[in-house]
Amino acid sequence: MTTAFYTHSDCQRHEMGEWHPETPLRLQAIEDQLISSRIDQFVDRREAPLADLADIERVHTANAVSLIRDSAAALAESGAAHYPLDGDTSINQHSWKAALRAAGAAVAATDAVISGELENAFCSVRPPGHHATPTTPMGFCLFNNVAIAARHAIDVHGLERVAIVDFDVHHGNGTEEAFKHDPRVLMVSFFQHPFYPFSGADPAEPHILNEPLPAYTAGDVVRKLVTDKWLPALHAHRPQMIFISAGFDAHREDDMGQMALVEADYAWMTKQIMDVARQHSSGRIVSCLEGGYNLSALGRSVVAHLKVLADLD
């Protein structure tokens, strides 16, 4: 079994302005660290295909899809640089194709993992996804890549139970919205609170396990939370596949949040998730990049995550 690394150059053509922290340089930082750590030779590099509209519309409304598609087309025709979707999310003429590549990577990885061709995969893609609700792009996110992949696993492959693990510093409100009425999908997450998008702290459905944490929370607290809360819930759910919203902005060097994780914490969490997957899911994991805005910390953290996925650490 192998670990795949999905990406595409189209994902670097989407940009929201030189000032914006969700920059194409994020993917380059990951590439640089893969090379310097010498693990690039141990992963199966694959190009992300374009997602089919049917894949996206299992999660997103037709209006949400057409907003991105038509706005990007209008930018290409007018020559304008950007179209704002909200105060911190915009698109350029390349964003539609980038979003299709990001979702397409998650779907293709899901297909390859379920078929047994791969044990697991990491999708180094952007735009990220976990804030995008079925109706609304927001929070740097256009389409919800992990939600699209999880829905594909259920609706196309017939899986009966899947889990989504979200360790981004922000609450994955879009993912929760997509599955809040579907107990086949267990979602476990922690996130800084109070913090954008200012959701997730209220009681949720039994299959949505949100764990809000205060600013400056460090790895020892997160590890205890994973051990005491996440792992019992995951084992009880017995997921047939696990998806990861892999945000690395809870790193102590990342100014986007105020948490204090380090690379070893991401490696440890990945190991726990892999143990659950090997017990219940034949090892099947698809991980998709979410946040992470300090370029050095992002690259190092992704390498730590990948080393565990690929059994190199």
Side-chain angles (χ1 to χ4, degrees):
M1 291 293 186
T2 56
T3 295
F5 181 87
Y6 283 83
T7 192
H8 198 282
S9 58
D10 284 345
C11 292
Q12 294 187 320
R13 301 180 76 192
H14 160 71
E15 55 85 21
M16 296 182 280
E18 292 184 0
W19 60 273
H20 204 288
E22 206 292 282
T23 167
L25 294 175
R26 299 177 66 229
L27 299 190
Q28 188 59 54
I30 292 170
E31 293 284 352
D32 291 347
Q33 286 290 339
L34 285 182
I35 294 168
S36 65
S37 67
R38 299 184 178 180
I39 70 164
D40 57 318
Q41 61 189 307
F42 298 108
V43 295
D44 182 354
R45 297 185 67 98
R46 299 191 174 193
E47 284 208 338
L50 297 168
D52 293 333
L53 285 184
D55 297 324
I56 294 173
E57 290 179 347
R58 289 188 187 97
V59 171
H60 295 282
T61 64
N63 285 341
V65 173
S66 64
L67 172 64
I68 307 303
R69 180 187 57 219
D70 297 348
S71 299
L75 287 171
E77 184 174 342
S78 69
H82 301 102
Y83 176 78
L85 300 172
D86 64 24
D88 57 15
T89 310
S90 63
I91 63 171
N92 69 357
Q93 62 177 302
H94 305 294
S95 299
W96 168 247
K97 188 171 278 189
L100 292 182
R101 295 289 185 192
V107 170
T110 299
D111 288 338
V113 168
I114 289 178
S115 73
E117 182 184 340
L118 302 171
E119 181 172 24
N120 57 52
F122 177 75
C123 300
S124 184
V125 293
R126 51 182 295 279
H130 74 152
H131 293 310
T133 74
T135 61
T136 310
M138 61 179 289
F140 310 169
C141 302
L142 303 185
F143 300 135
N144 195 317
N145 307 314
V146 159
I148 289 166
R151 183 62 68 194
H152 182 79
I154 292 169
D155 291 354
V156 175
H157 291 283
L159 299 194
E160 297 174 348
R161 297 177 312 281
V162 303
I164 296 174
V165 176
D166 189 326
F167 51 67
D168 193 274
V169 79
H170 305 94
H171 174 232
N173 60 299
T175 308
E176 179 175 335
E177 181 68 21
F179 296 113
K180 65 181 180 182
H181 299 306
D182 191 346
R184 294 175 296 179
V185 182
L186 171 70
M187 179 181 176
V188 299
S189 72
F190 68 78
F191 47 89
Q192 182 177 323
H193 181 79
F195 202 38
Y196 182 90
F198 304 100
S199 59
D202 295 330
E205 300 296 326
H207 63 285
I208 305 291
L209 184 62
N210 291 324
E211 295 293 336
L213 296 172
Y216 310 111
T217 297
D220 58 337
V221 174
V222 167
R223 293 186 190 209
K224 186 174 190 312
L225 180 157
V226 169
T227 301
D228 294 348
K229 301 288 185 67
W230 281 14
L231 295 182
L234 287 164
H235 284 299
H237 189 64
R238 296 180 295 114
Q240 295 164 300
M241 188 164 182
I242 298 177
F243 298 89
I244 303 175
S245 272
F248 299 97
D249 40 5
H251 195 284
R252 68 183 179 187
E253 295 174 24
D254 199 309
D255 292 338
M256 185 64 72
Q258 292 84 41
M259 290 184 66
L261 273 60
V262 295
E263 295 94 305
D265 297 315
Y266 292 115
W268 181 87
M269 284 191 290
T270 307
K271 175 64 164 58
Q272 309 315 304
I273 297 165
M274 285 187 68
D275 288 346
V276 174
R278 285 176 171 163
Q279 183 168 338
H280 301 290
S281 318
S282 301
R284 297 188 292 207
I285 295 172
V286 169
S287 177
C288 294
L289 180 66
E290 300 284 1
Y293 305 99
N294 178 293
L295 297 180
S296 176
L298 170 63
R300 299 190 326 260
S301 298
V302 169
V303 165
H305 182 55
L306 267 173
K307 280 184 175 179
V308 178
L309 287 175
D311 278 332
L312 298 174
D313 198 2

